């Protein structure tokens, strides 16, 4: 299980650096005022942030995911790997269940982390140098929210986070398992790395498509109150107001930037995790073979080197 946690840490850091700019674009598009929109679409938003706030504007709020996503991925891959060992049989259903369990557990860290990230990404919109910063950094953001709203405040959006992450991670691991099996990702395959990248990227896209409407509502709830005024009383109130003002298209706001981000981020994450686990487990096999014979322990380790079982 320690290897699963370590692999998740490595994959998480790689994924954050690759995808954060598109996440900033996604959040800006999801929560912008429909009556006075600042951005016409994904690429206009990207260009506007760079022009108005410099390239650093795309990396607003990165401190929170850099701190949190490393632990989140460690939890996700650790819990998923441990759950698969408990379930014993490597089946598509078990992959989904293990992934869903991992997704639900990591919400404890994910929800406050995304709250701070969202607030930081919205801060100083359209300003190259913010005249007055409400939050100094992600940690200061959470501290201020806690002082003002208590424990409930830093867990704003927890229900929608659970509704997104639980099935989302189930689909994530299920899709990766099905794709790696279909593509035949074996250690001796010369095209294994491109196949792993493709399977990881497509798994990320499948996961986001399965829960994206919930993510829109989550972002709106977590950004609510940034200007000092709360627009939504509950999840259903947010859904109702969003539908009345913008129609069903509201649930696809920011989807393009999300999918553009999903492929490289998850391709990097899954390929990094899989290769890390394979490399470390091969090292374990070698150390066992060079020591006294232990036939009872060797067989399980050999089974674990399959790239489809995290």
């Amino acid at each position: 299980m320690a290897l699963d946690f370590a692999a998740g840490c490595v994959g998480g850091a790689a994924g954050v650096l690759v995808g954060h700019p598109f996440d900033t674009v996604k959040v800006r598009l999801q929560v912008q005022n429909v009556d006075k929109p600042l951005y016409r679409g994904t690429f206009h938003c990207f260009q506007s942030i760079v022009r108005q706030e410099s390239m650093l504007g795309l990396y607003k709020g990165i401190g929170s995911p850099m701190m949190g996503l490393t632990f989140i991925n460690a939890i996700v891959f650790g819990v998923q790997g441990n759950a698969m060992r408990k379930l014993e049989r490597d089946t598509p259903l078990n992959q989904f269940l293990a992934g869903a369990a991992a997704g639900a557990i990591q919400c404890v860290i994910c929800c406050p982390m995304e709250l701070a990230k969202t607030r930081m990404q919205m801060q100083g919109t359209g300003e190259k140098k913010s005249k007055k910063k409400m939050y100094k950094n992600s940690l200061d953001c959470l501290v201020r929210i806690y002082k003002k709203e208590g424990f409930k405040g830093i867990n704003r959006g927890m229900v929608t986070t659970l509704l997104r992450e639980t099935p989302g991670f189930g689909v994530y691991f299920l899709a990766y398992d099905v794709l790696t099996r279909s593509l035949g990702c074996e250690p001796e395959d010369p095209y294994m790395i491109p196949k792993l990248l493709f399977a990881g990227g497509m798994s990320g896209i499948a996961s986001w498509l399965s829960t994206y409407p919930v993510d829109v509502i989550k972002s709106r709830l977590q950004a609510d109150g940034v200007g000092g005024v709360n627009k939504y009383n509950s999840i259903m109130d947010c859904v109702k107001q969003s539908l009345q003002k913008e129609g069903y298209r509201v649930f696809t706001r920011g989807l393009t930037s999300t999918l553009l981000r999903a492929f490289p981020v998850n391709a990097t994450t899954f390929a990094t995790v899989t290769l890390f686990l394979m490399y470390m487990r091969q090292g374990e096999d070698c150390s066992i073979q060079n020591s006294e014979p232990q036939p009872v322990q060797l067989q399980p380790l050999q089974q674990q080197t399959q790239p489809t079982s995290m």
Side-chain angles (χ1 to χ4, degrees):
M1 186 173 179
L3 281 181
D4 296 315
F5 277 104
C9 288
V10 175
V16 173
L17 293 173
V18 171
H20 191 77
F22 282 109
D23 185 71
T24 300
V25 172
K26 179 203 79 164
V27 171
R28 293 282 182 92
L29 290 171
Q30 285 179 331
V31 304
Q32 72 172 338
N33 189 334
V34 68
D35 297 321
K36 298 178 180 178
L38 295 173
Y39 314 113
R40 295 192 297 271
T42 299
F43 296 105
H44 180 251
C45 181
F46 193 96
Q47 291 171 343
S48 298
I49 293 173
V50 172
R51 186 175 64 253
Q52 297 168 356
E53 305 169 45
S54 80
M55 283 294 294
L56 294 177
L58 294 169
Y59 286 92
K60 284 184 176 179
I62 195 172
S64 177
M66 280 300 287
M67 289 187 295
L69 274 180
T70 302
F71 294 108
I72 285 174
N73 273 22
I75 291 170
V76 166
F77 285 96
V79 171
Q80 195 271 346
N82 199 46
M84 285 301 297
R85 285 186 281 275
K86 293 289 185 184
L87 291 169
E88 295 181 349
R89 293 184 60 200
D90 188 357
T91 64
L93 177 60
N94 285 348
Q95 288 284 350
F96 178 86
L97 293 175
I105 290 171
Q106 58 87 43
C107 286
V108 177
I109 297 175
C110 178
C111 183
M113 181 209 77
E114 292 210 351
L115 174 65
K117 176 185 69 69
T118 300
R119 295 290 178 93
M120 290 296 293
Q121 286 172 326
M122 295 303 298
Q123 183 170 256
T125 299
E127 301 175 2
K128 194 159 191 176
K129 191 174 182 181
S130 300
K131 297 174 183 177
K132 186 180 179 182
K133 289 185 177 180
M134 186 177 293
Y135 312 116
K136 296 176 183 177
N137 51 50
S138 298
L139 182 59
D140 179 60
C141 176
L142 288 176
V143 170
R144 285 176 177 271
I145 293 172
Y146 179 77
K147 286 181 177 178
K148 186 178 179 180
E149 304 174 48
F151 185 75
K152 184 178 180 181
I154 62 172
N155 284 287
R156 179 188 289 269
M158 179 61 81
V159 174
T160 46
T161 302
L162 276 165
L163 291 174
R164 183 192 70 179
E165 301 292 79
T166 304
F169 272 100
V171 172
Y172 190 47
F173 283 97
L174 170 62
Y176 186 70
D177 181 65
V178 170
L179 285 169
T180 49
R181 289 180 188 277
S182 301
L183 294 170
C185 298
E186 301 298 335
E188 64 276 6
D189 187 346
Y191 299 105
M192 185 187 72
I193 293 178
K195 288 180 179 179
L196 289 177
L197 290 169
F198 177 77
M202 293 307 295
S203 299
I205 287 175
S207 175
W208 275 108
L209 287 174
S210 68
T211 58
Y212 192 76
V214 181
D215 183 68
V216 174
I217 300 303
K218 181 199 73 68
S219 293
R220 293 191 167 205
L221 287 171
Q222 290 187 326
D224 192 32
V226 170
V229 180
N230 291 96
K231 294 166 57 179
Y232 310 117
N233 298 319
S234 63
I235 295 172
M236 290 310 299
D237 182 49
C238 181
V239 172
K240 185 179 178 181
Q241 287 193 45
S242 298
L243 280 172
Q244 285 178 343
K245 285 188 175 182
E246 303 166 63
Y248 286 99
R249 288 186 64 184
V250 68
F251 296 122
T252 61
R253 284 195 175 277
L255 181 59
T256 301
S257 62
T258 300
L259 299 183
L260 286 172
R261 167 182 174 264
F263 191 92
V265 167
N266 293 289
T268 304
T269 300
F270 256 128
T272 301
V273 169
T274 302
L275 293 172
F276 181 87
L277 287 173
M278 288 175 61
Y279 176 78
M280 294 302 293
R281 284 168 179 165
Q282 282 175 359
E284 284 185 353
D285 286 351
C286 290
S287 64
I288 290 173
Q289 289 170 354
N290 291 332
S291 62
E292 294 181 5
Q294 299 180 29
V296 176
Q297 295 180 3
L298 184 58
Q299 184 62 27
L301 285 171
Q302 289 176 333
Q303 291 175 352
Q304 285 179 344
T305 59
Q306 296 178 3
T308 54
S309 299
M310 302 304 294

